[in-house]
Each structure stands twice: as C-alpha cells, then as structure tokens.
Amino acid sequence: MIYQCNGCKRTTFETACPWCTSSELSPSPELSSRHLTPIDPSFYPDFQYRSKGLLQDFFGKKKEQAQLNDLLNNVLRKYSELKQPYFINFIHTTREGGGSADGHGAPGPRMDGVYSERELFREVLIRKGFDELEELPSLLDKLLMTTAFNSEYYGFSVELSRHLKVNLADTLRSWIEEAGVSFRANLALFYYFLWENDVSFSGIQLNPQAATTAGIPLLPMQAFRNALSLCEEIHFDILVERLESQLEHFDPNQFITMYLVDAMDGFKFEDFLVEIFQTIGYDVKETKRTADQGADLFVSRFGKNMVIQAKNYSGSVGNSAVQQAISAKAFYGCDEAMVVTNSYFTRSAKELASTAAVRLVDREGLQSYLDDYNQKLIEVFQADEETA
C-alpha cells in the first residue's frame, strides 16, 4: 500500500515515514501510523487486529477479528457508496482545512446554533446510513484524508500518463523535466502508478502482496532509495543541460531577470506572475484590481484551486500578506493559498504561514520560477530553429 505523510507530505510505501523519523528516534508503528494517510482506507491501523497477549489472542482473537471484519466491511461498503459524490465533493467545496477535532461530539442540534461544515457533513452521512460515525466520529477525518489523497493521486496519474516512454530512464526524465524537484515527494506515487496500470520496465520488481497485506511495501526501501538516486542523477543532468542552453541562447532583451522584476510596479508584477504560472503549466485567472478580498490571481492544477497574493516589495513581507491569503482562501473556497514576493518574509510571517498551511515563495523561490520561465522561452527558440 502507499501512504502520504501528514507532516512532510511525501509519499511512501513504509508504515512509518522514513523522511520524518530517524533510526534513533523512530516512533512506535502504532504512533507513526497516525501520521500517515493510506490511499486505501482498509489500511488504517484501526482495521488491523492488535495482539493482546498469547492467551487472549488464543481465546478471543477469532471473535474479535470477526467483529473487526464486520466493521471494516460495513465502513468500506458505505464509504464506496458515498464516495461519489458526497466525500469527493465535500473535499472540493469545503472551506475548512485538513484533519480537525471539530464535530467529535454528539451529533445533532445545540443551543449555541454554531456548527462547522464538518459537523454538518457528518450529519448528512449519518442520515444516509453511515451509523458508525455516531460511535466513531474520528473515522470521518480519516476517510476525508483518504479521499483528499485519492483526489491528489488522480490528478497526478492524469499528468504522469503523458510522460510514459519505452523505458524507465526516459519516462523518469520526461516526468522530472516537468515536475521539477517535486519528484522527491512523489516518487512513491510514480511507482504506485506503474503497479496500478500494469506498466512494466526492465529491472523493476514490485511486490504484488503489498496490495492486500499491511506492512509489506510495494518496493523495498533500498530499491526505493536506489530509484531516488537515479532521479537525482537525471535531475542533475537536466539542470546542467539547461544552464548550458541558457548560456548559449540567453538574450537580456527577451529574458526576465530578477532586476527587471524589482523594477515592476504592483500591477505589472501581478501581470508577470500570470505569465509565469501559465508558462509552468497552471491555468490562471486574474482577479479585479480592487475589492478582491485579498486575492490577486487564481491558479489551478491537478484539480486543485489556489489563490495567490502578489507582493512586490523592497522590504520584508509581514503577517498582513499571509492573513490576506488566509482570508481569500476561505472567502473563495480555494484548496490552497500562496504569497509570492521578490523580497523575503519576516519570521512571524513564516510562523503564521506554517500554522495556516499557506505556501510562501520568497526571492529565491521566485528565482526558480524565473529559471523555468526562461527555460520555456529557450525551448520555444530551439523549436523554431529546428523548423526554420
């Protein structure tokens, strides 16, 4: 099975995130599994029998396992029936964040008359026959996280299908050229896609038992690290080739440097960000110049909508920009929020963004976007040369 770490957002085949834990400080499997979201809800540890000792296992395991299996089958059946459209549409329309403690009390009306969207959603499911949520309210958060992970994987698989080549190295190169450094977080998704779609490459042996057995990885950790090393080699070659091409074809009158960005006013900076995000593969929609509720532009990719605050500053960007992004995300019901600047963020702005899951792109991050933008111009130039 494949999991997504709720902390670092990397994907893994292990039952404890290898990126967030060290061998010296590795948490227990039960504790670490709470921080992982499986793409298949049956792989949550709640549905796995945990030993209570030799004698209790001998006399009680059969009955308890049968009860556990009944619960599992009921939950999975109802989840499958209600996944379309209830769970998926809730993920796309809710303005609430990820896992939440809201809605864990008794369902039904209260005297204060204030309810979270999650509480109302739980009541919808209970009325649709999902009775288990009355006794196990925390189960809703887990099923929502799995739904979100499935939605993310679906967008990923649509994009990856365009990069399939005749061999592994060419497929990885095509994918990494577009994905950039995100291959480090999504490499497990890559191999899960190969297994799910029965794509075979020489030298890759995926364990078929991983699909039905908890604790068995689809790809052993050492093989996964070897694959990551191969990806790093490919990425390094891409960076070297891009720099060589830039040195050969760079035209100061055509390409954008950070100094030109610094000279832009606020509106020109917003317009340029539209070009940047369109060039690197996002669908972009600008907002009005005024009364935009803290939104400068909207972008979408992989089925997720993101609102962006653009700040072309000479000084540091503080909390207010992050607060505007948070407000815009809630007001417009977006999945993500981002603040982009040609400067840097204050420490308090970084702390607020971290707690509110707002993505920050500072001067260094913007430079990487400029590099991608200029590289696309070079590729267009080279294509024109070949057809001339």
PDB file of all heavy atoms in Angstrom, residues 159-178:
ATOM      1  N   GLU A 159      -1.561  13.451 -15.162  1.00  0.00           N
ATOM      2  CA  GLU A 159      -0.377  14.131 -15.666  1.00  0.00           C
ATOM      3  C   GLU A 159       0.725  13.128 -16.044  1.00  0.00           C
ATOM      4  O   GLU A 159       1.369  13.262 -17.092  1.00  0.00           O
ATOM      5  CB  GLU A 159       0.153  15.105 -14.614  1.00  0.00           C
ATOM      6  CG  GLU A 159      -0.752  16.288 -14.353  1.00  0.00           C
ATOM      7  CD  GLU A 159      -0.900  17.186 -15.585  1.00  0.00           C
ATOM      8  OE1 GLU A 159       0.130  17.496 -16.200  1.00  0.00           O
ATOM      9  OE2 GLU A 159      -2.036  17.549 -15.917  1.00  0.00           O
ATOM     10  N   LEU A 160       0.939  12.121 -15.206  1.00  0.00           N
ATOM     11  CA  LEU A 160       2.031  11.178 -15.444  1.00  0.00           C
ATOM     12  C   LEU A 160       1.810  10.346 -16.695  1.00  0.00           C
ATOM     13  O   LEU A 160       2.769   9.959 -17.378  1.00  0.00           O
ATOM     14  CB  LEU A 160       2.211  10.264 -14.228  1.00  0.00           C
ATOM     15  CG  LEU A 160       3.395   9.288 -14.288  1.00  0.00           C
ATOM     16  CD1 LEU A 160       4.711  10.057 -14.434  1.00  0.00           C
ATOM     17  CD2 LEU A 160       3.432   8.407 -13.051  1.00  0.00           C
ATOM     18  N   SER A 161       0.564  10.066 -17.014  1.00  0.00           N
ATOM     19  CA  SER A 161       0.274   9.226 -18.181  1.00  0.00           C
ATOM     20  C   SER A 161       0.828   9.832 -19.468  1.00  0.00           C
ATOM     21  O   SER A 161       1.105   9.112 -20.431  1.00  0.00           O
ATOM     22  CB  SER A 161      -1.237   9.006 -18.310  1.00  0.00           C
ATOM     23  OG  SER A 161      -1.915  10.235 -18.512  1.00  0.00           O
ATOM     24  N   ARG A 162       1.035  11.150 -19.484  1.00  0.00           N
ATOM     25  CA  ARG A 162       1.571  11.808 -20.679  1.00  0.00           C
ATOM     26  C   ARG A 162       3.075  11.602 -20.826  1.00  0.00           C
ATOM     27  O   ARG A 162       3.645  11.900 -21.881  1.00  0.00           O
ATOM     28  CB  ARG A 162       1.284  13.312 -20.626  1.00  0.00           C
ATOM     29  CG  ARG A 162      -0.192  13.669 -20.582  1.00  0.00           C
ATOM     30  CD  ARG A 162      -0.424  15.160 -20.710  1.00  0.00           C
ATOM     31  NE  ARG A 162       0.096  15.898 -19.559  1.00  0.00           N
ATOM     32  CZ  ARG A 162       1.189  16.624 -19.577  1.00  0.00           C
ATOM     33  NH1 ARG A 162       1.936  16.675 -20.669  1.00  0.00           N
ATOM     34  NH2 ARG A 162       1.579  17.283 -18.508  1.00  0.00           N
ATOM     35  N   HIS A 163       3.724  11.105 -19.768  1.00  0.00           N
ATOM     36  CA  HIS A 163       5.179  11.001 -19.775  1.00  0.00           C
ATOM     37  C   HIS A 163       5.686   9.567 -19.975  1.00  0.00           C
ATOM     38  O   HIS A 163       6.896   9.349 -19.950  1.00  0.00           O
ATOM     39  CB  HIS A 163       5.745  11.550 -18.462  1.00  0.00           C
ATOM     40  CG  HIS A 163       5.455  13.012 -18.251  1.00  0.00           C
ATOM     41  ND1 HIS A 163       6.086  14.005 -18.947  1.00  0.00           N
ATOM     42  CD2 HIS A 163       4.579  13.637 -17.425  1.00  0.00           C
ATOM     43  CE1 HIS A 163       5.621  15.183 -18.556  1.00  0.00           C
ATOM     44  NE2 HIS A 163       4.709  14.988 -17.646  1.00  0.00           N
ATOM     45  N   LEU A 164       4.808   8.615 -20.173  1.00  0.00           N
ATOM     46  CA  LEU A 164       5.239   7.226 -20.323  1.00  0.00           C
ATOM     47  C   LEU A 164       6.013   7.040 -21.630  1.00  0.00           C
ATOM     48  O   LEU A 164       5.547   7.398 -22.709  1.00  0.00           O
ATOM     49  CB  LEU A 164       4.028   6.290 -20.294  1.00  0.00           C
ATOM     50  CG  LEU A 164       3.321   6.145 -18.942  1.00  0.00           C
ATOM     51  CD1 LEU A 164       2.120   5.228 -19.081  1.00  0.00           C
ATOM     52  CD2 LEU A 164       4.286   5.619 -17.881  1.00  0.00           C
ATOM     53  N   LYS A 165       7.212   6.476 -21.513  1.00  0.00           N
ATOM     54  CA  LYS A 165       8.071   6.209 -22.653  1.00  0.00           C
ATOM     55  C   LYS A 165       8.374   4.708 -22.708  1.00  0.00           C
ATOM     56  O   LYS A 165       7.846   3.926 -21.923  1.00  0.00           O
ATOM     57  CB  LYS A 165       9.371   7.021 -22.550  1.00  0.00           C
ATOM     58  CG  LYS A 165       9.158   8.512 -22.332  1.00  0.00           C
ATOM     59  CD  LYS A 165       8.444   9.188 -23.493  1.00  0.00           C
ATOM     60  CE  LYS A 165       8.260  10.670 -23.245  1.00  0.00           C
ATOM     61  NZ  LYS A 165       7.484  11.344 -24.319  1.00  0.00           N
ATOM     62  N   VAL A 166       9.282   4.317 -23.609  1.00  0.00           N
ATOM     63  CA  VAL A 166       9.558   2.896 -23.807  1.00  0.00           C
ATOM     64  C   VAL A 166      10.410   2.301 -22.692  1.00  0.00           C
ATOM     65  O   VAL A 166      10.420   1.087 -22.496  1.00  0.00           O
ATOM     66  CB  VAL A 166      10.248   2.654 -25.167  1.00  0.00           C
ATOM     67  CG1 VAL A 166       9.321   3.024 -26.311  1.00  0.00           C
ATOM     68  CG2 VAL A 166      11.549   3.460 -25.260  1.00  0.00           C
ATOM     69  N   ASN A 167      11.151   3.148 -21.948  1.00  0.00           N
ATOM     70  CA  ASN A 167      11.968   2.618 -20.863  1.00  0.00           C
ATOM     71  C   ASN A 167      11.865   3.522 -19.641  1.00  0.00           C
ATOM     72  O   ASN A 167      11.338   4.649 -19.717  1.00  0.00           O
ATOM     73  CB  ASN A 167      13.433   2.450 -21.284  1.00  0.00           C
ATOM     74  CG  ASN A 167      14.062   3.758 -21.757  1.00  0.00           C
ATOM     75  OD1 ASN A 167      14.129   4.728 -21.013  1.00  0.00           O
ATOM     76  ND2 ASN A 167      14.518   3.782 -22.996  1.00  0.00           N
ATOM     77  N   LEU A 168      12.366   3.039 -18.504  1.00  0.00           N
ATOM     78  CA  LEU A 168      12.236   3.747 -17.240  1.00  0.00           C
ATOM     79  C   LEU A 168      12.978   5.081 -17.253  1.00  0.00           C
ATOM     80  O   LEU A 168      12.441   6.104 -16.813  1.00  0.00           O
ATOM     81  CB  LEU A 168      12.749   2.870 -16.096  1.00  0.00           C
ATOM     82  CG  LEU A 168      12.740   3.514 -14.699  1.00  0.00           C
ATOM     83  CD1 LEU A 168      11.318   3.859 -14.268  1.00  0.00           C
ATOM     84  CD2 LEU A 168      13.405   2.587 -13.681  1.00  0.00           C
ATOM     85  N   ALA A 169      14.227   5.092 -17.741  1.00  0.00           N
ATOM     86  CA  ALA A 169      15.036   6.313 -17.698  1.00  0.00           C
ATOM     87  C   ALA A 169      14.386   7.444 -18.488  1.00  0.00           C
ATOM     88  O   ALA A 169      14.325   8.592 -18.016  1.00  0.00           O
ATOM     89  CB  ALA A 169      16.439   6.028 -18.230  1.00  0.00           C
ATOM     90  N   ASP A 170      13.868   7.136 -19.678  1.00  0.00           N
ATOM     91  CA  ASP A 170      13.229   8.161 -20.493  1.00  0.00           C
ATOM     92  C   ASP A 170      11.928   8.649 -19.850  1.00  0.00           C
ATOM     93  O   ASP A 170      11.587   9.843 -19.927  1.00  0.00           O
ATOM     94  CB  ASP A 170      12.940   7.631 -21.894  1.00  0.00           C
ATOM     95  CG  ASP A 170      14.203   7.442 -22.717  1.00  0.00           C
ATOM     96  OD1 ASP A 170      15.247   8.001 -22.318  1.00  0.00           O
ATOM     97  OD2 ASP A 170      14.155   6.733 -23.740  1.00  0.00           O
ATOM     98  N   THR A 171      11.191   7.720 -19.223  1.00  0.00           N
ATOM     99  CA  THR A 171       9.954   8.101 -18.543  1.00  0.00           C
ATOM    100  C   THR A 171      10.249   9.021 -17.369  1.00  0.00           C
ATOM    101  O   THR A 171       9.578  10.050 -17.184  1.00  0.00           O
ATOM    102  CB  THR A 171       9.209   6.845 -18.051  1.00  0.00           C
ATOM    103  OG1 THR A 171       8.880   6.016 -19.172  1.00  0.00           O
ATOM    104  CG2 THR A 171       7.933   7.225 -17.318  1.00  0.00           C
ATOM    105  N   LEU A 172      11.249   8.655 -16.559  1.00  0.00           N
ATOM    106  CA  LEU A 172      11.623   9.492 -15.422  1.00  0.00           C
ATOM    107  C   LEU A 172      12.087  10.863 -15.883  1.00  0.00           C
ATOM    108  O   LEU A 172      11.729  11.888 -15.280  1.00  0.00           O
ATOM    109  CB  LEU A 172      12.720   8.809 -14.607  1.00  0.00           C
ATOM    110  CG  LEU A 172      12.295   7.634 -13.726  1.00  0.00           C
ATOM    111  CD1 LEU A 172      13.517   6.936 -13.149  1.00  0.00           C
ATOM    112  CD2 LEU A 172      11.361   8.094 -12.606  1.00  0.00           C
ATOM    113  N   ARG A 173      12.888  10.910 -16.933  1.00  0.00           N
ATOM    114  CA  ARG A 173      13.394  12.194 -17.414  1.00  0.00           C
ATOM    115  C   ARG A 173      12.248  13.096 -17.881  1.00  0.00           C
ATOM    116  O   ARG A 173      12.208  14.284 -17.551  1.00  0.00           O
ATOM    117  CB  ARG A 173      14.395  11.985 -18.556  1.00  0.00           C
ATOM    118  CG  ARG A 173      14.972  13.294 -19.062  1.00  0.00           C
ATOM    119  CD  ARG A 173      15.930  13.120 -20.210  1.00  0.00           C
ATOM    120  NE  ARG A 173      16.378  14.426 -20.687  1.00  0.00           N
ATOM    121  CZ  ARG A 173      17.433  15.092 -20.216  1.00  0.00           C
ATOM    122  NH1 ARG A 173      18.155  14.566 -19.243  1.00  0.00           N
ATOM    123  NH2 ARG A 173      17.759  16.267 -20.706  1.00  0.00           N
ATOM    124  N   SER A 174      11.335  12.534 -18.657  1.00  0.00           N
ATOM    125  CA  SER A 174      10.204  13.322 -19.147  1.00  0.00           C
ATOM    126  C   SER A 174       9.385  13.872 -17.978  1.00  0.00           C
ATOM    127  O   SER A 174       8.979  15.041 -17.980  1.00  0.00           O
ATOM    128  CB  SER A 174       9.327  12.464 -20.057  1.00  0.00           C
ATOM    129  OG  SER A 174       8.189  13.182 -20.486  1.00  0.00           O
ATOM    130  N   TRP A 175       9.162  13.018 -16.970  1.00  0.00           N
ATOM    131  CA  TRP A 175       8.383  13.433 -15.792  1.00  0.00           C
ATOM    132  C   TRP A 175       9.126  14.504 -14.992  1.00  0.00           C
ATOM    133  O   TRP A 175       8.545  15.531 -14.618  1.00  0.00           O
ATOM    134  CB  TRP A 175       8.096  12.200 -14.923  1.00  0.00           C
ATOM    135  CG  TRP A 175       7.480  12.520 -13.605  1.00  0.00           C
ATOM    136  CD1 TRP A 175       6.404  13.321 -13.364  1.00  0.00           C
ATOM    137  CD2 TRP A 175       7.908  12.031 -12.320  1.00  0.00           C
ATOM    138  NE1 TRP A 175       6.127  13.359 -12.012  1.00  0.00           N
ATOM    139  CE2 TRP A 175       7.026  12.584 -11.362  1.00  0.00           C
ATOM    140  CE3 TRP A 175       8.915  11.182 -11.902  1.00  0.00           C
ATOM    141  CZ2 TRP A 175       7.152  12.309  -9.997  1.00  0.00           C
ATOM    142  CZ3 TRP A 175       9.041  10.906 -10.555  1.00  0.00           C
ATOM    143  CH2 TRP A 175       8.178  11.463  -9.613  1.00  0.00           C
ATOM    144  N   ILE A 176      10.407  14.297 -14.723  1.00  0.00           N
ATOM    145  CA  ILE A 176      11.182  15.219 -13.888  1.00  0.00           C
ATOM    146  C   ILE A 176      11.358  16.569 -14.581  1.00  0.00           C
ATOM    147  O   ILE A 176      11.381  17.611 -13.915  1.00  0.00           O
ATOM    148  CB  ILE A 176      12.536  14.593 -13.521  1.00  0.00           C
ATOM    149  CG1 ILE A 176      12.322  13.381 -12.616  1.00  0.00           C
ATOM    150  CG2 ILE A 176      13.444  15.600 -12.826  1.00  0.00           C
ATOM    151  CD1 ILE A 176      13.579  12.560 -12.364  1.00  0.00           C
ATOM    152  N   GLU A 177      11.474  16.568 -15.911  1.00  0.00           N
ATOM    153  CA  GLU A 177      11.602  17.830 -16.636  1.00  0.00           C
ATOM    154  C   GLU A 177      10.409  18.741 -16.372  1.00  0.00           C
ATOM    155  O   GLU A 177      10.554  19.955 -16.294  1.00  0.00           O
ATOM    156  CB  GLU A 177      11.730  17.567 -18.140  1.00  0.00           C
ATOM    157  CG  GLU A 177      13.123  17.133 -18.570  1.00  0.00           C
ATOM    158  CD  GLU A 177      13.220  16.907 -20.064  1.00  0.00           C
ATOM    159  OE1 GLU A 177      12.188  16.532 -20.672  1.00  0.00           O
ATOM    160  OE2 GLU A 177      14.310  17.094 -20.615  1.00  0.00           O
ATOM    161  N   GLU A 178       9.237  18.157 -16.205  1.00  0.00           N
ATOM    162  CA  GLU A 178       8.048  18.966 -15.932  1.00  0.00           C
ATOM    163  C   GLU A 178       7.800  19.132 -14.436  1.00  0.00           C
ATOM    164  O   GLU A 178       7.440  20.213 -13.978  1.00  0.00           O
ATOM    165  CB  GLU A 178       6.812  18.337 -16.573  1.00  0.00           C
ATOM    166  CG  GLU A 178       5.534  19.128 -16.307  1.00  0.00           C
ATOM    167  CD  GLU A 178       4.338  18.574 -17.055  1.00  0.00           C
ATOM    168  OE1 GLU A 178       4.393  18.528 -18.299  1.00  0.00           O
ATOM    169  OE2 GLU A 178       3.362  18.168 -16.400  1.00  0.00           O
TER     170      GLU A 178
END
